[in-house]
Amino acid sequence: MSRTSAHAPGAPLVTIIGDGQLARMMHQAGIELGLSTRVLAGTADASAAQVTADVVLGDYTNRAHVEEVSLGADAITFDHEHVPDEFLESLISAGINVQPQPRALVNAQDKLVMRKRLREMGAPVPPFMEITSVEEIQEFYRITQGNVCVKTRRGGYDGKGVWFPASEEDAAQLVGDLLGQGLPLMAEKKVQLVRELSAMVARTPSGEVRTWPVVESVQEDGICVEAVAPAPAAEGSAQLSILESAEQLAKDIATELEVTGVLAVELFETLDETGQPEIIVNELAMRPHNTGHWTQDGSITSQFEQHLRAVLDRPLGDTSLIGPATVMANVLGKDTDPEMPIHARMDEMWRRFPKAKLHMYGKDWRPRRKMGHVNMVASEGQTVEELRAEARLAADFLVTAHWADGYTD
C-alpha cells in the first residue's frame, strides 16, 4: 500500500489498528510530532476515522486487512489488544516493525497467561486458578471461603467478563453456563479493596523507560469515572511507600515482559494480615489507558505522545507534573440525553469552570458510554478534594445539563 497525499514526505508513518478514542488521541499527538498516522477502522464515522486523513476500512480479525494497513508503515501499534497474534507474527517475519510485539501482548490478551507470568517474576498477584469444569469452581469457592471472582480469560473491559457469584450454587450455575458458551475461564480470590491504583510506564524497544506518578482511579459498575494524579498519600505514610513500590513494579514488569509503548499496570491497594497496605496486580493494558488521560494536561509529556515516541524508538519525554495535582473525570452518558445540545452544555460548563480542559471523542450519546473526559489541574492553594469536586461537577453537567450542587449563574 503506497503512502497517500495525506502524509508529508519524509515524515514517519505510524499505523494504528483500532478506531476508538485512544487512536484518535494518538493521531492528535502525532500531528504535533510532525508524523503521520494511518488507521484501520471498522466504520468511516468511528472516533479516530473522523479526524484521520488516511483511513483504511476493514476488520482487525481479517489477515488481509491487517497486512494492507501495515504496508509502508514505520511502526504498527494498537488501541486495543485483540489483533490475532498469528497476524502480528507474520508481519514481523516480513520485516515490519510491530510494537508492542506478541510475546508481550499475550500478557494483556490472556489473563491466565498474565497471572502465571507475573507470579513467575515475583509480582504480587492474588491466588488464582484456571477453571475448566463446574467441579473446579466449586473447589475454588470452598478454598477461598466464597471470596471468588470469575473472569473470562480473553476480552472483557469496563466491568464486562467479570462476575462475583454470591454462593457456591451460583458459581456452579454461572461457570456451567459460560463453559457451555465455549468461554475460557479463570477464577481468582476477591481481595479486600481499599482503592484502585494505576501505574503508567513507557518503554522503547532499545530499553529506555519512563514512568508517571501512580494515580488513584475510581470505578463505578466496573467503569472508570475518575483518576487523581498523583494518588493521594500523606508524606512518610505506608501508603506513600506502596505508591513508590507500585511505580517500580511497573518499570520491572515493562522491562521483564519487554513491553514497548505505554503500559498501564492496574493495581488493587488492599490490606495484609497485619492491617498494613499492600498492592496486588489486577490487569495489564499495553497501550494508552483511560487512567492516563490526565497526562494530556497535567504532565509535560502526555501518554499519547510518549507512546508514539516509544514505538518509533525515539527519546522519551519528561513526565514531570505541570501542577501539584490533576483530576480526570470521564464524561459518561446517562440514561437519557438532555435536550440542550452538547456544545451548548460545553459553553455553560466553561463559563463556570474556564480552566477545564475538555477532550471529546466524537461519539453519539449512549447510556454509560465514554463520550469524553474533563481534565483539571489544581490552582495554587486548591485542595485535591476541591479539585475532584469541580471535575465531577463539570463532567456531570455535560451529560445532564444540570448542576448537581444546585449552582445557578
Side-chain angles (χ1 to χ4, degrees):
M1 182 177 182
S2 61
R3 298 193 182 191
T4 70
S5 59
H7 304 292
L13 170 60
V14 177
T15 283
I16 305 167
I17 299 179
D19 59 14
Q21 62 263 27
L22 300 180
R24 179 186 179 104
M25 289 183 278
M26 276 190 254
H27 168 71
Q28 292 169 322
I31 292 171
E32 296 180 352
L33 296 177
L35 56 84
S36 296
T37 60
R38 176 187 294 149
V39 169
L40 178 62
T43 62
D45 63 350
S47 181
Q50 294 171 8
V51 297
T52 309
D54 189 355
V55 177
V56 176
L57 296 180
D59 184 346
Y60 65 85
T61 64
N62 184 304
R63 183 189 294 268
H65 295 168
V66 172
E67 290 176 347
E68 176 188 356
V69 79
S70 302
L71 294 176
D74 294 284
I76 312 299
T77 194
F78 319 93
D79 84 341
H80 60 76
E81 295 97 347
H82 308 311
V83 181
D85 289 347
E86 59 267 27
F87 295 3
L88 304 181
E89 294 288 4
S90 178
L91 294 178
I92 293 168
S93 296
I96 295 173
N97 180 28
V98 176
Q99 303 294 346
Q101 298 204 337
R103 63 177 180 271
L105 266 175
V106 67
N107 294 282
Q109 295 167 332
D110 189 315
K111 297 177 180 64
L112 182 63
V113 171
M114 178 266 291
R115 282 279 181 255
K116 290 179 176 179
R117 186 69 181 86
L118 292 182
R119 183 173 62 186
E120 287 174 4
M121 62 175 286
V125 297
F128 65 90
M129 179 178 177
E130 181 179 8
I131 301 298
T132 61
S133 69
V134 169
E135 291 74 23
E136 286 176 342
I137 192 61
Q138 290 173 320
E139 177 188 0
F140 193 79
Y141 194 93
R142 290 190 290 269
I143 290 172
T144 61
Q145 299 180 314
N147 294 306
V148 173
C149 174
V150 176
K151 292 183 176 182
T152 53
R153 286 175 53 180
R154 288 179 173 263
Y157 65 95
D158 288 348
K160 300 179 178 67
V162 179
W163 299 269
F164 299 94
S167 67
E168 186 176 330
E169 293 73 21
D170 288 345
Q173 180 66 50
L174 171 68
V175 166
D177 291 345
L178 295 173
L179 290 176
Q181 298 171 37
L183 294 173
L185 302 176
M186 64 170 290
E188 58 189 37
K189 184 177 180 181
K190 184 171 64 174
V191 301
Q192 181 182 349
L193 184 65
V194 174
R195 60 177 175 172
E196 296 194 41
L197 303 170
S198 179
M200 303 284 297
V201 60
R203 180 179 177 274
T204 66
S206 56
E208 183 184 2
V209 177
R210 292 257 186 174
T211 61
W212 287 272
V214 176
V215 306
E216 177 181 337
S217 63
V218 179
Q219 315 285 320
E220 292 179 2
D221 299 325
I223 300 176
C224 177
V225 296
E226 179 187 80
V228 183
E235 194 68 36
S237 67
Q239 276 194 325
L240 183 60
S241 176
I242 69 161
L243 294 181
E244 294 168 351
S245 298
E247 189 170 337
Q248 183 60 50
L249 176 62
K251 293 173 68 174
D252 293 343
I253 291 173
T255 301
E256 182 71 22
L257 301 186
E258 298 183 271
V259 177
T260 50
V262 167
L263 167 70
V265 181
E266 298 179 64
L267 300 154
F268 293 141
E269 180 183 324
T270 183
L271 299 175
D272 64 18
E273 294 79 4
T274 67
Q276 292 299 304
E278 64 178 359
I279 50 173
I280 290 176
V281 178
N282 178 24
E283 293 189 1
L284 305 179
M286 295 183 190
R287 48 168 171 77
H289 191 256
N290 194 183
T291 57
H293 291 350
W294 69 273
T295 61
Q296 290 171 295
D297 303 293
S299 173
I300 290 175
T301 307
S302 79
Q303 64 166 341
F304 300 102
E305 177 182 342
Q306 199 80 301
H307 185 78
L308 292 173
R309 289 200 203 188
V311 301
L312 290 167
D313 206 12
R314 300 178 70 174
L316 298 181
D318 189 345
T319 55
S320 300
L321 295 170
I322 289 174
T326 302
V327 172
M328 183 281 300
N330 275 326
V331 178
L332 297 169
K334 297 293 187 181
D335 291 338
T336 58
D337 194 27
E339 292 184 8
M340 181 187 292
I342 183 62
H343 284 274
R345 286 176 251 163
M346 290 162 61
D347 290 349
E348 288 299 313
M349 186 273 293
W350 278 323
R351 287 188 183 99
R352 182 175 181 186
F353 297 118
K355 74 175 183 180
K357 300 295 290 184
L358 181 58
H359 302 265
M360 298 298 287
Y361 307 153
K363 294 185 174 182
D364 293 332
W365 164 85
R366 192 169 67 208
R368 305 300 288 165
R369 187 181 208 181
K370 292 176 183 174
M371 300 167 62
H373 64 272
V374 175
N375 284 338
M376 286 197 186
V377 180
S379 304
E380 185 177 352
Q382 186 177 32
T383 68
V384 171
E385 284 309 310
E386 289 170 342
L387 186 67
R388 295 175 80 163
E390 289 187 356
R392 289 191 203 113
L393 284 167
D396 185 70
F397 183 84
L398 289 167
V399 290
T400 64
H402 171 76
W403 292 112
D405 64 347
Y407 171 85
T408 56
D409 193 351

